[in-house]
Each structure stands twice: as structure tokens, then as C-alpha cells.
PDB file of all heavy atoms in Angstrom:
ATOM      1  N   GLN A   1      96.794 -75.255-165.041  1.00 98.00           N
ATOM      2  CA  GLN A   1      98.245 -75.602-164.857  1.00 98.00           C
ATOM      3  C   GLN A   1      98.560 -75.776-163.389  1.00 98.00           C
ATOM      4  O   GLN A   1      97.911 -75.077-162.537  1.00 98.00           O
ATOM      5  CB  GLN A   1      99.107 -74.634-165.488  1.00 98.00           C
ATOM      6  CG  GLN A   1     100.585 -74.883-165.495  1.00 98.00           C
ATOM      7  CD  GLN A   1     101.389 -73.876-166.277  1.00 98.00           C
ATOM      8  OE1 GLN A   1     100.849 -73.148-167.108  1.00 98.00           O
ATOM      9  NE2 GLN A   1     102.683 -73.875-165.938  1.00 98.00           N
ATOM     10  N   ALA A   2      99.445 -76.567-163.000  1.00 98.00           N
ATOM     11  CA  ALA A   2      99.835 -76.788-161.606  1.00 98.00           C
ATOM     12  C   ALA A   2     100.219 -75.399-161.082  1.00 98.00           C
ATOM     13  O   ALA A   2     100.874 -74.716-161.697  1.00 98.00           O
ATOM     14  CB  ALA A   2     101.054 -77.691-161.589  1.00 98.00           C
ATOM     15  N   GLY A   3      99.884 -75.159-159.844  1.00 98.00           N
ATOM     16  CA  GLY A   3     100.067 -73.864-159.264  1.00 98.00           C
ATOM     17  C   GLY A   3      99.022 -72.820-159.374  1.00 98.00           C
ATOM     18  O   GLY A   3      98.900 -71.787-158.785  1.00 98.00           O
ATOM     19  N   GLY A   4      98.071 -73.137-160.313  1.00 98.00           N
ATOM     20  CA  GLY A   4      96.958 -72.239-160.646  1.00 98.00           C
ATOM     21  C   GLY A   4      95.772 -72.411-159.593  1.00 98.00           C
ATOM     22  O   GLY A   4      95.912 -73.243-158.659  1.00 98.00           O
ATOM     23  N   SER A   5      94.727 -71.683-159.867  1.00 98.00           N
ATOM     24  CA  SER A   5      93.585 -71.712-158.920  1.00 98.00           C
ATOM     25  C   SER A   5      92.235 -71.988-159.832  1.00 98.00           C
ATOM     26  O   SER A   5      92.192 -71.561-160.955  1.00 98.00           O
ATOM     27  CB  SER A   5      93.498 -70.385-158.268  1.00 98.00           C
ATOM     28  OG  SER A   5      94.639 -70.165-157.495  1.00 98.00           O
ATOM     29  N   LEU A   6      91.337 -72.513-159.064  1.00 98.00           N
ATOM     30  CA  LEU A   6      89.960 -72.589-159.541  1.00 98.00           C
ATOM     31  C   LEU A   6      88.958 -72.404-158.427  1.00 98.00           C
ATOM     32  O   LEU A   6      89.371 -72.518-157.258  1.00 98.00           O
ATOM     33  CB  LEU A   6      89.728 -73.968-160.142  1.00 98.00           C
ATOM     34  CG  LEU A   6      90.169 -74.375-161.487  1.00 98.00           C
ATOM     35  CD1 LEU A   6      89.935 -75.898-161.772  1.00 98.00           C
ATOM     36  CD2 LEU A   6      89.653 -73.550-162.553  1.00 98.00           C
ATOM     37  N   ARG A   7      87.779 -71.899-158.654  1.00 98.00           N
ATOM     38  CA  ARG A   7      86.813 -71.698-157.753  1.00 98.00           C
ATOM     39  C   ARG A   7      85.493 -72.499-158.135  1.00 98.00           C
ATOM     40  O   ARG A   7      84.934 -72.212-159.185  1.00 98.00           O
ATOM     41  CB  ARG A   7      86.386 -70.247-157.464  1.00 98.00           C
ATOM     42  CG  ARG A   7      85.520 -70.042-156.330  1.00 98.00           C
ATOM     43  CD  ARG A   7      84.929 -68.559-156.316  1.00 98.00           C
ATOM     44  NE  ARG A   7      84.347 -68.270-154.974  1.00 98.00           N
ATOM     45  CZ  ARG A   7      83.451 -67.282-154.849  1.00 98.00           C
ATOM     46  NH1 ARG A   7      83.039 -66.509-155.929  1.00 98.00           N
ATOM     47  NH2 ARG A   7      82.973 -66.947-153.688  1.00 98.00           N
ATOM     48  N   LEU A   8      85.189 -73.476-157.358  1.00 98.00           N
ATOM     49  CA  LEU A   8      83.946 -74.310-157.663  1.00 98.00           C
ATOM     50  C   LEU A   8      82.784 -73.682-156.883  1.00 98.00           C
ATOM     51  O   LEU A   8      82.881 -73.185-155.779  1.00 98.00           O
ATOM     52  CB  LEU A   8      84.163 -75.757-157.249  1.00 98.00           C
ATOM     53  CG  LEU A   8      85.390 -76.564-157.738  1.00 98.00           C
ATOM     54  CD1 LEU A   8      85.373 -77.950-157.272  1.00 98.00           C
ATOM     55  CD2 LEU A   8      85.376 -76.435-159.230  1.00 98.00           C
ATOM     56  N   SER A   9      81.623 -73.701-157.508  1.00 98.00           N
ATOM     57  CA  SER A   9      80.438 -73.278-156.975  1.00 98.00           C
ATOM     58  C   SER A   9      79.317 -74.352-157.021  1.00 98.00           C
ATOM     59  O   SER A   9      79.322 -75.230-157.973  1.00 98.00           O
ATOM     60  CB  SER A   9      79.815 -71.990-157.685  1.00 98.00           C
ATOM     61  OG  SER A   9      80.674 -70.999-157.543  1.00 98.00           O
ATOM     62  N   CYS A  10      78.551 -74.422-156.088  1.00 97.00           N
ATOM     63  CA  CYS A  10      77.388 -75.377-156.044  1.00 97.00           C
ATOM     64  C   CYS A  10      76.098 -74.701-155.553  1.00 97.00           C
ATOM     65  O   CYS A  10      76.109 -74.265-154.362  1.00 97.00           O
ATOM     66  CB  CYS A  10      77.725 -76.574-155.137  1.00 97.00           C
ATOM     67  SG  CYS A  10      76.317 -77.802-154.848  1.00 97.00           S
ATOM     68  N   ALA A  11      75.173 -74.466-156.435  1.00 96.00           N
ATOM     69  CA  ALA A  11      73.920 -73.787-156.157  1.00 96.00           C
ATOM     70  C   ALA A  11      72.818 -74.781-155.930  1.00 96.00           C
ATOM     71  O   ALA A  11      72.573 -75.646-156.800  1.00 96.00           O
ATOM     72  CB  ALA A  11      73.580 -72.849-157.250  1.00 96.00           C
ATOM     73  N   ALA A  12      72.226 -74.718-154.753  1.00 93.00           N
ATOM     74  CA  ALA A  12      71.258 -75.601-154.453  1.00 93.00           C
ATOM     75  C   ALA A  12      69.793 -75.090-154.574  1.00 93.00           C
ATOM     76  O   ALA A  12      69.603 -73.838-154.398  1.00 93.00           O
ATOM     77  CB  ALA A  12      71.384 -76.136-152.850  1.00 93.00           C
ATOM     78  N   SER A  13      68.891 -75.832-154.976  1.00 93.00           N
ATOM     79  CA  SER A  13      67.444 -75.497-155.055  1.00 93.00           C
ATOM     80  C   SER A  13      66.547 -76.635-154.447  1.00 93.00           C
ATOM     81  O   SER A  13      66.986 -77.863-154.432  1.00 93.00           O
ATOM     82  CB  SER A  13      67.040 -75.184-156.571  1.00 93.00           C
ATOM     83  OG  SER A  13      67.210 -76.365-157.282  1.00 93.00           O
ATOM     84  N   GLY A  14      65.460 -76.189-154.035  1.00 89.00           N
ATOM     85  CA  GLY A  14      64.561 -77.204-153.425  1.00 89.00           C
ATOM     86  C   GLY A  14      64.896 -77.575-152.003  1.00 89.00           C
ATOM     87  O   GLY A  14      64.238 -78.515-151.380  1.00 89.00           O
ATOM     88  N   ILE A  15      65.869 -76.784-151.367  1.00 85.00           N
ATOM     89  CA  ILE A  15      66.292 -77.183-150.021  1.00 85.00           C
ATOM     90  C   ILE A  15      66.814 -75.945-149.380  1.00 85.00           C
ATOM     91  O   ILE A  15      67.389 -75.085-150.044  1.00 85.00           O
ATOM     92  CB  ILE A  15      67.340 -78.339-150.049  1.00 85.00           C
ATOM     93  CG1 ILE A  15      67.616 -78.706-148.576  1.00 85.00           C
ATOM     94  CG2 ILE A  15      68.553 -77.873-150.693  1.00 85.00           C
ATOM     95  CD1 ILE A  15      68.439 -80.044-148.452  1.00 85.00           C
ATOM     96  N   ILE A  16      66.638 -75.732-148.041  1.00 80.00           N
ATOM     97  CA  ILE A  16      67.154 -74.588-147.340  1.00 80.00           C
ATOM     98  C   ILE A  16      68.468 -75.120-146.751  1.00 80.00           C
ATOM     99  O   ILE A  16      68.473 -75.901-145.765  1.00 80.00           O
ATOM    100  CB  ILE A  16      66.188 -74.062-146.260  1.00 80.00           C
ATOM    101  CG1 ILE A  16      64.880 -73.752-146.839  1.00 80.00           C
ATOM    102  CG2 ILE A  16      66.799 -72.867-145.537  1.00 80.00           C
ATOM    103  CD1 ILE A  16      64.976 -72.659-147.904  1.00 80.00           C
ATOM    104  N   VAL A  17      69.564 -74.712-147.300  1.00 79.00           N
ATOM    105  CA  VAL A  17      70.897 -75.222-146.940  1.00 79.00           C
ATOM    106  C   VAL A  17      71.440 -74.594-145.601  1.00 79.00           C
ATOM    107  O   VAL A  17      72.323 -75.130-145.072  1.00 79.00           O
ATOM    108  CB  VAL A  17      71.890 -75.005-147.999  1.00 79.00           C
ATOM    109  CG1 VAL A  17      71.426 -75.687-149.308  1.00 79.00           C
ATOM    110  CG2 VAL A  17      72.114 -73.568-148.309  1.00 79.00           C
ATOM    111  N   SER A  18      70.646 -73.620-145.120  1.00 84.00           N
ATOM    112  CA  SER A  18      71.198 -72.879-143.918  1.00 84.00           C
ATOM    113  C   SER A  18      71.113 -73.949-142.692  1.00 84.00           C
ATOM    114  O   SER A  18      71.833 -73.663-141.710  1.00 84.00           O
ATOM    115  CB  SER A  18      70.417 -71.741-143.562  1.00 84.00           C
ATOM    116  OG  SER A  18      69.018 -71.953-143.330  1.00 84.00           O
ATOM    117  N   LEU A  19      70.354 -74.906-142.779  1.00 84.00           N
ATOM    118  CA  LEU A  19      70.216 -75.904-141.718  1.00 84.00           C
ATOM    119  C   LEU A  19      71.095 -77.178-141.923  1.00 84.00           C
ATOM    120  O   LEU A  19      71.076 -78.126-141.193  1.00 84.00           O
ATOM    121  CB  LEU A  19      68.733 -76.451-141.601  1.00 84.00           C
ATOM    122  CG  LEU A  19      67.710 -75.292-141.313  1.00 84.00           C
ATOM    123  CD1 LEU A  19      66.366 -75.821-141.351  1.00 84.00           C
ATOM    124  CD2 LEU A  19      67.981 -74.595-140.082  1.00 84.00           C
ATOM    125  N   SER A  20      71.989 -77.128-142.903  1.00 90.00           N
ATOM    126  CA  SER A  20      72.615 -78.284-143.447  1.00 90.00           C
ATOM    127  C   SER A  20      74.174 -78.087-143.380  1.00 90.00           C
ATOM    128  O   SER A  20      74.685 -76.995-143.572  1.00 90.00           O
ATOM    129  CB  SER A  20      72.176 -78.758-144.875  1.00 90.00           C
ATOM    130  OG  SER A  20      70.822 -78.806-144.899  1.00 90.00           O
ATOM    131  N   THR A  21      74.794 -79.235-143.257  1.00 93.00           N
ATOM    132  CA  THR A  21      76.207 -79.276-143.489  1.00 93.00           C
ATOM    133  C   THR A  21      76.415 -79.443-144.998  1.00 93.00           C
ATOM    134  O   THR A  21      75.742 -80.245-145.722  1.00 93.00           O
ATOM    135  CB  THR A  21      76.939 -80.378-142.777  1.00 93.00           C
ATOM    136  OG1 THR A  21      76.825 -80.206-141.400  1.00 93.00           O
ATOM    137  CG2 THR A  21      78.414 -80.540-143.161  1.00 93.00           C
ATOM    138  N   MET A  22      77.381 -78.689-145.551  1.00 95.00           N
ATOM    139  CA  MET A  22      77.694 -78.718-146.966  1.00 95.00           C
ATOM    140  C   MET A  22      79.095 -79.080-147.192  1.00 95.00           C
ATOM    141  O   MET A  22      79.935 -78.659-146.396  1.00 95.00           O
ATOM    142  CB  MET A  22      77.326 -77.383-147.747  1.00 95.00           C
ATOM    143  CG  MET A  22      75.885 -76.874-147.402  1.00 95.00           C
ATOM    144  SD  MET A  22      75.524 -75.392-148.273  1.00 95.00           S
ATOM    145  CE  MET A  22      75.371 -75.896-149.943  1.00 95.00           C
ATOM    146  N   GLY A  23      79.373 -79.803-148.264  1.00 96.00           N
ATOM    147  CA  GLY A  23      80.797 -80.224-148.481  1.00 96.00           C
ATOM    148  C   GLY A  23      81.128 -80.583-149.881  1.00 96.00           C
ATOM    149  O   GLY A  23      80.234 -80.532-150.834  1.00 96.00           O
ATOM    150  N   TRP A  24      82.407 -80.775-150.077  1.00 98.00           N
ATOM    151  CA  TRP A  24      82.920 -81.239-151.411  1.00 98.00           C
ATOM    152  C   TRP A  24      83.646 -82.512-151.250  1.00 98.00           C
ATOM    153  O   TRP A  24      84.492 -82.676-150.372  1.00 98.00           O
ATOM    154  CB  TRP A  24      83.795 -80.127-151.971  1.00 98.00           C
ATOM    155  CG  TRP A  24      83.233 -78.829-152.360  1.00 98.00           C
ATOM    156  CD1 TRP A  24      82.998 -77.790-151.659  1.00 98.00           C
ATOM    157  CD2 TRP A  24      82.556 -78.620-153.665  1.00 98.00           C
ATOM    158  NE1 TRP A  24      82.354 -76.770-152.344  1.00 98.00           N
ATOM    159  CE2 TRP A  24      82.087 -77.274-153.574  1.00 98.00           C
ATOM    160  CE3 TRP A  24      82.413 -79.328-154.801  1.00 98.00           C
ATOM    161  CZ2 TRP A  24      81.369 -76.707-154.654  1.00 98.00           C
ATOM    162  CZ3 TRP A  24      81.768 -78.660-155.846  1.00 98.00           C
ATOM    163  CH2 TRP A  24      81.210 -77.442-155.748  1.00 98.00           C
ATOM    164  N   TYR A  25      83.382 -83.402-152.125  1.00 98.00           N
ATOM    165  CA  TYR A  25      83.992 -84.716-152.231  1.00 98.00           C
ATOM    166  C   TYR A  25      84.688 -84.771-153.666  1.00 98.00           C
ATOM    167  O   TYR A  25      84.345 -84.018-154.547  1.00 98.00           O
ATOM    168  CB  TYR A  25      83.086 -85.883-152.105  1.00 98.00           C
ATOM    169  CG  TYR A  25      82.494 -85.991-150.739  1.00 98.00           C
ATOM    170  CD1 TYR A  25      81.641 -85.090-150.144  1.00 98.00           C
ATOM    171  CD2 TYR A  25      82.821 -87.108-149.922  1.00 98.00           C
ATOM    172  CE1 TYR A  25      81.022 -85.325-149.014  1.00 98.00           C
ATOM    173  CE2 TYR A  25      82.297 -87.303-148.649  1.00 98.00           C
ATOM    174  CZ  TYR A  25      81.382 -86.333-148.143  1.00 98.00           C
ATOM    175  OH  TYR A  25      80.832 -86.516-146.861  1.00 98.00           O
ATOM    176  N   ARG A  26      85.627 -85.696-153.789  1.00 98.00           N
ATOM    177  CA  ARG A  26      86.257 -85.870-155.076  1.00 98.00           C
ATOM    178  C   ARG A  26      86.657 -87.380-155.246  1.00 98.00           C
ATOM    179  O   ARG A  26      86.849 -88.100-154.275  1.00 98.00           O
ATOM    180  CB  ARG A  26      87.580 -85.045-155.189  1.00 98.00           C
ATOM    181  CG  ARG A  26      88.619 -85.419-154.274  1.00 98.00           C
ATOM    182  CD  ARG A  26      89.839 -84.463-154.488  1.00 98.00           C
ATOM    183  NE  ARG A  26      90.969 -84.827-153.631  1.00 98.00           N
ATOM    184  CZ  ARG A  26      92.035 -84.012-153.481  1.00 98.00           C
ATOM    185  NH1 ARG A  26      92.092 -82.879-154.088  1.00 98.00           N
ATOM    186  NH2 ARG A  26      92.957 -84.413-152.574  1.00 98.00           N
ATOM    187  N   GLN A  27      86.623 -87.710-156.463  1.00 98.00           N
ATOM    188  CA  GLN A  27      86.958 -89.065-156.794  1.00 98.00           C
ATOM    189  C   GLN A  27      87.865 -89.063-158.052  1.00 98.00           C
ATOM    190  O   GLN A  27      87.525 -88.635-159.160  1.00 98.00           O
ATOM    191  CB  GLN A  27      85.737 -90.038-157.154  1.00 98.00           C
ATOM    192  CG  GLN A  27      85.955 -91.422-157.233  1.00 98.00           C
ATOM    193  CD  GLN A  27      84.753 -92.287-157.248  1.00 98.00           C
ATOM    194  OE1 GLN A  27      83.595 -91.793-157.531  1.00 98.00           O
ATOM    195  NE2 GLN A  27      84.815 -93.524-156.991  1.00 98.00           N
ATOM    196  N   ALA A  28      89.050 -89.590-157.917  1.00 97.00           N
ATOM    197  CA  ALA A  28      90.007 -89.781-159.007  1.00 97.00           C
ATOM    198  C   ALA A  28      89.960 -91.169-159.573  1.00 97.00           C
ATOM    199  O   ALA A  28      89.474 -92.126-158.824  1.00 97.00           O
ATOM    200  CB  ALA A  28      91.424 -89.457-158.375  1.00 97.00           C
ATOM    201  N   PRO A  29      90.359 -91.399-160.761  1.00 92.00           N
ATOM    202  CA  PRO A  29      90.323 -92.696-161.326  1.00 92.00           C
ATOM    203  C   PRO A  29      91.096 -93.789-160.466  1.00 92.00           C
ATOM    204  O   PRO A  29      92.164 -93.507-160.048  1.00 92.00           O
ATOM    205  CB  PRO A  29      91.105 -92.535-162.664  1.00 92.00           C
ATOM    206  CG  PRO A  29      90.914 -91.125-162.976  1.00 92.00           C
ATOM    207  CD  PRO A  29      90.884 -90.330-161.663  1.00 92.00           C
ATOM    208  N   GLY A  30      90.427 -94.855-160.240  1.00 94.00           N
ATOM    209  CA  GLY A  30      90.935 -95.950-159.484  1.00 94.00           C
ATOM    210  C   GLY A  30      90.945 -95.728-157.986  1.00 94.00           C
ATOM    211  O   GLY A  30      91.521 -96.528-157.269  1.00 94.00           O
ATOM    212  N   LYS A  31      90.420 -94.646-157.468  1.00 96.00           N
ATOM    213  CA  LYS A  31      90.321 -94.357-156.103  1.00 96.00           C
ATOM    214  C   LYS A  31      88.996 -94.178-155.521  1.00 96.00           C
ATOM    215  O   LYS A  31      87.998 -93.933-156.322  1.00 96.00           O
ATOM    216  CB  LYS A  31      91.189 -93.168-155.745  1.00 96.00           C
ATOM    217  CG  LYS A  31      92.653 -93.104-156.241  1.00 96.00           C
ATOM    218  CD  LYS A  31      93.402 -91.893-155.822  1.00 96.00           C
ATOM    219  CE  LYS A  31      93.486 -91.646-154.361  1.00 96.00           C
ATOM    220  NZ  LYS A  31      94.354 -90.514-154.007  1.00 96.00           N
ATOM    221  N   GLN A  32      88.825 -94.365-154.266  1.00 97.00           N
ATOM    222  CA  GLN A  32      87.522 -94.075-153.585  1.00 97.00           C
ATOM    223  C   GLN A  32      87.254 -92.653-153.495  1.00 97.00           C
ATOM    224  O   GLN A  32      88.155 -91.774-153.469  1.00 97.00           O
ATOM    225  CB  GLN A  32      87.561 -94.756-152.147  1.00 97.00           C
ATOM    226  CG  GLN A  32      87.755 -96.321-152.180  1.00 97.00           C
ATOM    227  CD  GLN A  32      86.714 -97.029-152.849  1.00 97.00           C
ATOM    228  OE1 GLN A  32      85.436 -96.801-152.450  1.00 97.00           O
ATOM    229  NE2 GLN A  32      86.918 -97.918-153.705  1.00 97.00           N
ATOM    230  N   ARG A  33      85.882 -92.372-153.436  1.00 97.00           N
ATOM    231  CA  ARG A  33      85.440 -90.927-153.156  1.00 97.00           C
ATOM    232  C   ARG A  33      85.876 -90.619-151.756  1.00 97.00           C
ATOM    233  O   ARG A  33      85.696 -91.321-150.837  1.00 97.00           O
ATOM    234  CB  ARG A  33      83.995 -90.957-153.422  1.00 97.00           C
ATOM    235  CG  ARG A  33      83.445 -89.399-153.311  1.00 97.00           C
ATOM    236  CD  ARG A  33      81.963 -89.424-153.661  1.00 97.00           C
ATOM    237  NE  ARG A  33      81.678 -89.784-155.006  1.00 97.00           N
ATOM    238  CZ  ARG A  33      80.529 -89.690-155.626  1.00 97.00           C
ATOM    239  NH1 ARG A  33      79.497 -89.268-154.982  1.00 97.00           N
ATOM    240  NH2 ARG A  33      80.333 -90.154-156.768  1.00 97.00           N
ATOM    241  N   GLU A  34      86.405 -89.334-151.689  1.00 97.00           N
ATOM    242  CA  GLU A  34      86.949 -88.852-150.380  1.00 97.00           C
ATOM    243  C   GLU A  34      86.368 -87.457-150.093  1.00 97.00           C
ATOM    244  O   GLU A  34      86.121 -86.756-150.984  1.00 97.00           O
ATOM    245  CB  GLU A  34      88.470 -88.856-150.342  1.00 97.00           C
ATOM    246  CG  GLU A  34      89.130 -87.891-151.270  1.00 97.00           C
ATOM    247  CD  GLU A  34      90.625 -87.789-151.177  1.00 97.00           C
ATOM    248  OE1 GLU A  34      91.220 -88.623-150.249  1.00 97.00           O
ATOM    249  OE2 GLU A  34      91.146 -87.097-151.960  1.00 97.00           O
ATOM    250  N   LEU A  35      86.224 -87.193-148.889  1.00 97.00           N
ATOM    251  CA  LEU A  35      85.868 -85.899-148.385  1.00 97.00           C
ATOM    252  C   LEU A  35      86.998 -84.945-148.462  1.00 97.00           C
ATOM    253  O   LEU A  35      88.104 -85.208-148.039  1.00 97.00           O
ATOM    254  CB  LEU A  35      85.403 -85.901-146.934  1.00 97.00           C
ATOM    255  CG  LEU A  35      84.982 -84.585-146.347  1.00 97.00           C
ATOM    256  CD1 LEU A  35      83.723 -83.957-147.067  1.00 97.00           C
ATOM    257  CD2 LEU A  35      84.788 -84.655-144.830  1.00 97.00           C
ATOM    258  N   VAL A  36      86.793 -83.804-149.246  1.00 98.00           N
ATOM    259  CA  VAL A  36      87.784 -82.790-149.417  1.00 98.00           C
ATOM    260  C   VAL A  36      87.599 -81.737-148.314  1.00 98.00           C
ATOM    261  O   VAL A  36      88.549 -81.410-147.634  1.00 98.00           O
ATOM    262  CB  VAL A  36      87.705 -82.210-150.856  1.00 98.00           C
ATOM    263  CG1 VAL A  36      88.732 -80.980-150.967  1.00 98.00           C
ATOM    264  CG2 VAL A  36      87.901 -83.226-151.891  1.00 98.00           C
ATOM    265  N   ALA A  37      86.487 -81.224-148.099  1.00 98.00           N
ATOM    266  CA  ALA A  37      86.172 -80.178-147.197  1.00 98.00           C
ATOM    267  C   ALA A  37      84.638 -80.153-146.870  1.00 98.00           C
ATOM    268  O   ALA A  37      83.886 -80.626-147.729  1.00 98.00           O
ATOM    269  CB  ALA A  37      86.579 -78.865-147.662  1.00 98.00           C
ATOM    270  N   ASP A  38      84.316 -79.769-145.642  1.00 97.00           N
ATOM    271  CA  ASP A  38      82.908 -79.497-145.400  1.00 97.00           C
ATOM    272  C   ASP A  38      82.855 -78.365-144.408  1.00 97.00           C
ATOM    273  O   ASP A  38      83.817 -77.852-143.830  1.00 97.00           O
ATOM    274  CB  ASP A  38      82.145 -80.742-144.857  1.00 97.00           C
ATOM    275  CG  ASP A  38      82.636 -81.278-143.581  1.00 97.00           C
ATOM    276  OD1 ASP A  38      83.243 -80.554-142.769  1.00 97.00           O
ATOM    277  OD2 ASP A  38      82.224 -82.503-143.285  1.00 97.00           O
ATOM    278  N   ILE A  39      81.623 -77.911-144.341  1.00 96.00           N
ATOM    279  CA  ILE A  39      81.348 -76.598-143.571  1.00 96.00           C
ATOM    280  C   ILE A  39      79.931 -76.772-142.984  1.00 96.00           C
ATOM    281  O   ILE A  39      78.967 -77.124-143.627  1.00 96.00           O
ATOM    282  CB  ILE A  39      81.494 -75.338-144.307  1.00 96.00           C
ATOM    283  CG1 ILE A  39      81.370 -74.119-143.501  1.00 96.00           C
ATOM    284  CG2 ILE A  39      80.509 -75.357-145.510  1.00 96.00           C
ATOM    285  CD1 ILE A  39      81.735 -72.808-144.112  1.00 96.00           C
ATOM    286  N   THR A  40      79.823 -76.614-141.663  1.00 94.00           N
ATOM    287  CA  THR A  40      78.610 -76.809-140.925  1.00 94.00           C
ATOM    288  C   THR A  40      77.705 -75.544-141.004  1.00 94.00           C
ATOM    289  O   THR A  40      78.113 -74.521-141.583  1.00 94.00           O
ATOM    290  CB  THR A  40      78.815 -77.004-139.424  1.00 94.00           C
ATOM    291  OG1 THR A  40      79.368 -75.812-138.838  1.00 94.00           O
ATOM    292  CG2 THR A  40      79.814 -78.155-139.134  1.00 94.00           C
ATOM    293  N   SER A  41      76.450 -75.745-140.550  1.00 89.00           N
ATOM    294  CA  SER A  41      75.573 -74.433-140.655  1.00 89.00           C
ATOM    295  C   SER A  41      76.118 -73.401-139.831  1.00 89.00           C
ATOM    296  O   SER A  41      75.741 -72.172-140.170  1.00 89.00           O
ATOM    297  CB  SER A  41      74.159 -74.962-140.194  1.00 89.00           C
ATOM    298  OG  SER A  41      74.266 -75.456-138.801  1.00 89.00           O
ATOM    299  N   GLY A  42      76.908 -73.590-138.831  1.00 89.00           N
ATOM    300  CA  GLY A  42      77.496 -72.580-137.989  1.00 89.00           C
ATOM    301  C   GLY A  42      78.812 -72.017-138.564  1.00 89.00           C
ATOM    302  O   GLY A  42      79.344 -71.000-137.983  1.00 89.00           O
ATOM    303  N   GLY A  43      79.308 -72.506-139.678  1.00 92.00           N
ATOM    304  CA  GLY A  43      80.428 -71.935-140.314  1.00 92.00           C
ATOM    305  C   GLY A  43      81.760 -72.638-139.961  1.00 92.00           C
ATOM    306  O   GLY A  43      82.837 -72.173-140.368  1.00 92.00           O
ATOM    307  N   SER A  44      81.765 -73.770-139.224  1.00 96.00           N
ATOM    308  CA  SER A  44      82.938 -74.466-138.896  1.00 96.00           C
ATOM    309  C   SER A  44      83.342 -75.372-140.059  1.00 96.00           C
ATOM    310  O   SER A  44      82.568 -76.205-140.513  1.00 96.00           O
ATOM    311  CB  SER A  44      82.717 -75.311-137.669  1.00 96.00           C
ATOM    312  OG  SER A  44      82.441 -74.493-136.551  1.00 96.00           O
ATOM    313  N   ALA A  45      84.633 -75.198-140.428  1.00 97.00           N
ATOM    314  CA  ALA A  45      85.144 -75.924-141.603  1.00 97.00           C
ATOM    315  C   ALA A  45      86.125 -76.986-141.244  1.00 97.00           C
ATOM    316  O   ALA A  45      86.927 -76.805-140.283  1.00 97.00           O
ATOM    317  CB  ALA A  45      85.647 -74.960-142.642  1.00 97.00           C
TER     318      ALA A  45
END
């Protein structure tokens, strides 16, 4: 419901993500995929 909360998780295998930027994108119907958030290996979001 609007106003509520969710927590998404993404577990990676086959790659060491500590060296990588990781992020979340989203795509709504009729819209382009967009960057929601990302975080660098150093923790900058």
C-alpha cells in the first residue's frame, strides 16, 4: 500500500562485487528504464 516499505535484495554469484559499482534500475509500463540508485565500491551513493 502507498506509504509502506519494501526491501529489495540482489545476491550476486560468479563475480566479486567489491570492485564494482552496484545499482538499481526500474522500468514502468510505457517508460524508459531509469537509474534509481547506485553505490560505488567505496560506498558513495
Side-chain angles (χ1 to χ4, degrees):
Q1 187 176 338
S5 298
L6 285 173
R7 190 192 194 202
L8 305 183
S9 298
C10 174
S13 62
I15 188 172
I16 305 299
V17 302
S18 62
L19 302 177
S20 305
T21 295
M22 307 179 72
W24 291 94
Y25 291 70
R26 67 186 179 188
Q27 187 168 22
K31 299 182 69 176
Q32 298 294 309
R33 186 175 298 187
E34 66 176 359
L35 175 67
V36 178
D38 66 17
I39 183 167
T40 69
S41 60
S44 296

